[in-house]
């Protein structure tokens, strides 16, 4: 699965804001506009070129990102951790952008929570953790949103659309964070993403420990982590902390 977009003591990479996401899009739009003026590439082809450049950079062992062009550096930064809990203050209040994200997915979190036997706030926390509150979406080669809010990768049995994106994976044992280009599932809409997410957890016996855990965020997170949902050694703690905050916020409303 896609790595958590969340800072922890072991994740010390630079923390971009949503400006990084906006930067890569605006830079590529500008490049695309320039290309269109000269009668060459469209936005989609420019986006694919940037993805290819970053993929080659990673495959060659990385190094200084200054060797990448501005668009490539901005795209690479999208795979860096971002402080998800930074959007929630100590009093449990969340920002306007985060509230809008939660409101937009509420029908799906309720439906999915009922299917999985867990509180909807836990499902919402998982979506927020994996997508950076919807502000760091996995994208198709054209730049369109994949609606993949849970970072579900496209294995050999997946028959739907696929999108390649930069992600962070952690080495077993050392916990070293590495940048990789992986293939992720792409969905036509958020509803499809939530339904597939629920089906993945229901069908895979590895995640049995996460099912029917009710409002116990720790039990759900541990069930995912033990099932191998993510390689981040701190994944369960991150998800538990965020879900607990959302549950407290919901209880106070």
């Amino acid at each position: 699965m896609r790595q958590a977009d969340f800072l922890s003591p072991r994740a010390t990479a630079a923390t971009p804001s949503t400006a990084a996401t906006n930067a890569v899009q605006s830079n590529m739009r500008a490049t695309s506009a320039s290309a269109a003026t000269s009668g060459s590439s469209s936005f989609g082809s420019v986006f694919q070129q940037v993805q290819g450049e970053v993929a080659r950079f990673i495959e060659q062992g990385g190094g200084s990102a200054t060797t990448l062009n501005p668009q490539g550096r901005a795209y690479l930064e999208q795979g860096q951790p971002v402080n998800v809990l930074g959007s929630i203050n100590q009093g449990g209040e969340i920002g306007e952008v985060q509230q809008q994200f939660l409101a937009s997915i509420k029908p799906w979190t309720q439906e999915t929570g009922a299917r999985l036997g867990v509180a909807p706030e836990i499902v919402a926390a998982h979506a927020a953790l994996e997508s950076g509150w919807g502000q760091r979406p996995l994208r198709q080669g054209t730049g369109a949103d994949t609606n993949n809010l849970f970072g579900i990768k496209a294995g050999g049995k997946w028959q739907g659309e696929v999108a390649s994106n930069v992600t962070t994976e952690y080495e077993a044992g050392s916990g070293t964070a590495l940048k990789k280009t992986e293939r992720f599932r792409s969905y036509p809409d958020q509803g499809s993403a939530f339904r597939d997410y629920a089906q993945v957890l229901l069908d895979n016996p590895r995640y049995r420990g996460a099912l029917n855990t009710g409002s116990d965020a720790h039990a759900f997170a541990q069930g995912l982590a033990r099932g191998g949902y993510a390689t981040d050694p701190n994944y369960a703690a991150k998800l538990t902390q965020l879900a607990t905050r959302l549950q407290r916020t919901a209880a106070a409303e």
Side-chain angles (χ1 to χ4, degrees):
M1 303 303 172
R2 189 186 190 191
Q3 281 307 288
D5 289 336
F6 184 111
L7 281 180
S8 70
R10 299 187 65 175
T12 58
T15 308
S17 66
T18 55
T21 302
N22 295 333
V24 67
Q25 294 177 37
S26 61
N27 282 337
M28 286 190 288
R29 279 196 295 267
T31 303
S32 180
S34 175
T37 300
S38 62
S40 56
S41 302
S42 64
F43 173 77
S45 63
V46 172
F47 194 90
Q48 290 175 327
Q49 289 171 8
V50 172
Q51 284 185 315
E53 179 187 354
V54 172
R56 288 190 295 273
F57 174 79
I58 294 172
E59 290 170 356
Q60 293 169 3
S64 174
T66 57
T67 60
L68 292 169
N69 61 30
Q71 295 96 325
R73 289 197 297 273
Y75 182 67
L76 181 63
E77 285 179 352
Q78 286 189 293
Q80 300 285 1
V82 63
N83 192 354
V84 175
L85 272 185
S87 300
I88 305 179
N89 64 27
Q90 293 302 313
E93 298 176 354
I94 62 176
E96 182 178 352
V97 171
Q98 290 70 37
Q99 289 176 345
Q100 291 175 349
F101 173 72
L102 294 176
S104 71
I105 64 173
K106 187 173 182 179
W108 306 119
T109 58
Q110 292 177 330
E111 176 185 304
T112 304
R115 291 187 65 191
L116 299 178
V118 302
E121 293 81 14
I122 295 177
V123 177
H126 199 190
L129 181 64
E130 285 286 348
S131 69
W133 297 99
Q135 299 301 298
R136 295 163 64 83
L138 293 165
R139 294 192 177 277
Q140 299 172 352
T142 60
D145 193 342
T146 64
N147 293 303
N148 189 340
L149 294 173
F150 297 95
I152 301 177
K153 292 178 181 174
K157 295 182 180 180
W158 174 246
Q159 300 299 312
E161 292 189 24
V162 173
S164 295
N165 279 260
V166 175
T167 186
T168 303
E169 298 289 353
Y170 294 78
E171 287 187 333
S174 67
T176 302
L178 300 174
K179 289 289 178 293
K180 293 184 178 181
T181 299
E182 300 282 1
R183 297 168 71 251
F184 292 89
R185 299 183 182 188
S186 182
Y187 306 99
D189 51 58
Q190 287 189 347
S192 299
F194 275 89
R195 286 190 290 271
D196 186 56
Y197 162 73
Q199 205 60 52
V200 167
L201 299 191
L202 290 169
D203 289 346
N204 196 322
R206 297 203 319 265
Y207 303 127
R208 191 170 299 156
L211 303 179
N212 301 310
T213 49
S215 59
D216 191 337
H218 178 71
F220 177 80
Q222 286 290 337
L224 289 185
R226 289 170 181 164
Y229 193 95
T231 57
D232 182 356
N234 296 311
Y235 196 83
K238 296 171 184 178
L239 179 54
T240 299
Q241 188 177 7
L242 182 55
T244 300
R245 287 286 187 90
L246 292 189
Q247 287 177 307
R248 289 174 180 170
T249 300
E253 293 178 349

